[in-house]
Amino acid sequence: MKPALGPRDLARPYVAAFVSRFLQMLQYRTAALAGFATQCWWGGIKVMVFAAFYSGSAIAGAASSMSLAQAITYTWLAQGLLVLMPWLGDPEVAQAARTGAVAYDRLRPVDAYALWFARTAGWIAARLLPRVALMAAFAAVALPLVGLGDWAWQLPANALAGAAFLLSVVLGLLLSTAMVMLLNVATTAALNERGIQAVATPVVIVFSGNLLPLALLPDAWQTALLVQPLAGLFDIPARLYFGQLSGAHALGALGLQCFWIVALVAFGRVAMGRTMRSLQVQGG
């Protein structure tokens, strides 16, 4: 009789899938640099828009929920964390769905959802880390050195806010992966990701806070905006960074992220199970 497998043995294939995908994506340095340059360009434009917006005395009261310095830092954070936005499915899954190679994952002696989740998390993490590092070097270090300190990435409100932000970003990565998994399942069912991405992109951009800080939207909308799942990708981490959520409110925000991770993973597993049961491989 074979001995029972321990937690480490059970997790090994998924850890290997994450690490291999992470290392594979790190090889695309030119893509990371191109993405960084593009994000700097758009970040600069958004900073100038915010500077013009806040300079108008008529909107001073409306903008009181976030200072100009916070809005600028919010912009650089948004550019650095841009790859957390789940408007694209995993291209590896999309290709497997088109070619029929997705059938191989059903034959592997592992949980297909967990395997895809690990691969997708590695894909996102490998694109996230270099761009965050480059954006921090540019916006937090280089800009003050050239005399543009007012347009620079500012430090978090305090050490506790910084720690909460880092934890929230990790949860945001898991939340983003859970959402991308829904796109992966939809792509597998439709065999084409273009229409799905076209619908997802504007929704994600607006409700994640990437286009405009959710704190600047009407006060009557704030509760609904904060509890919806897309806020956990960026707006909640940013509020923690600025100290706008602290104490019990910070714990509640982190708990909300955890809730949506569990809920979306559970929904994704059910959706994937139904899709796989009715899957018809091309050419078969």
Side-chain angles (χ1 to χ4, degrees):
M1 183 182 233
K2 292 183 179 180
L5 296 177
R8 181 177 298 180
D9 296 320
L10 293 174
R12 184 174 299 166
Y14 310 109
V15 173
F18 174 89
V19 172
S20 63
R21 191 71 188 283
F22 182 87
L23 294 177
Q24 177 191 22
M25 293 305 301
L26 283 182
Q27 299 177 25
Y28 296 97
R29 299 181 183 88
T30 302
L33 291 173
F36 162 69
T38 302
Q39 287 159 222
C40 287
W41 173 263
W42 286 109
I45 292 176
K46 292 176 71 174
V47 165
M48 288 186 282
V49 170
F50 275 124
F53 176 76
Y54 276 81
S55 66
S57 59
I59 52 81
S64 59
S65 59
M66 179 176 286
S67 67
L68 175 58
Q70 289 177 332
I72 291 173
T73 299
Y74 188 103
T75 298
W76 296 125
L77 286 172
Q79 295 305 107
L81 300 177
L82 186 65
V83 297
L84 286 183
M85 301 300 106
W87 53 53
L88 298 174
D90 187 337
E92 189 176 82
V93 173
Q95 182 179 10
R98 287 192 298 268
T99 62
V102 67
Y104 294 124
D105 287 335
R106 300 196 62 189
L107 302 176
R108 302 181 195 278
V110 292
D111 183 83
Y113 182 91
L115 183 65
W116 283 16
F117 192 98
R119 288 176 180 168
T120 300
W123 172 63
I124 296 173
R127 295 181 302 140
L128 174 67
L129 294 179
R131 298 190 190 196
V132 169
L134 289 170
M135 189 60 65
F138 169 74
V141 178
L143 288 183
L145 291 178
V146 296
L148 295 175
D150 291 340
W151 286 16
W153 178 339
Q154 305 298 324
L155 294 174
N158 50 61
L160 189 59
F165 167 76
L166 293 177
L167 177 57
S168 185
V169 169
V170 173
L171 294 177
L173 171 63
L174 297 176
L175 181 58
S176 176
T177 304
M179 292 181 180
V180 172
M181 281 297 298
L182 296 179
L183 297 180
N184 291 342
V185 172
T187 298
T188 303
L191 301 180
N192 193 302
E193 71 277 15
R194 292 183 180 178
I196 298 167
Q197 293 174 3
V199 173
T201 299
V203 175
V204 170
I205 289 176
V206 173
F207 288 100
S208 66
N210 179 268
L211 179 66
L212 182 71
L214 298 184
L216 296 184
L217 296 178
D219 292 340
W221 301 359
Q222 290 302 308
T223 299
L225 290 172
L226 190 62
V227 300
Q228 51 90 21
L230 291 169
L233 297 171
F234 178 66
D235 191 74
I236 286 177
R239 293 181 193 235
L240 292 170
Y241 188 92
F242 297 130
Q244 295 174 350
L245 296 173
S246 59
H249 294 292
L251 292 176
L254 294 171
L256 185 62
Q257 286 181 290
C258 293
F259 167 78
W260 280 119
I261 292 169
V262 173
L264 292 177
V265 166
F267 179 70
R269 292 187 70 91
V270 172
M272 185 171 179
R274 292 183 177 180
T275 298
M276 288 299 191
R277 283 194 296 270
S278 60
L279 181 65
Q280 295 183 3
V281 178
Q282 287 182 316

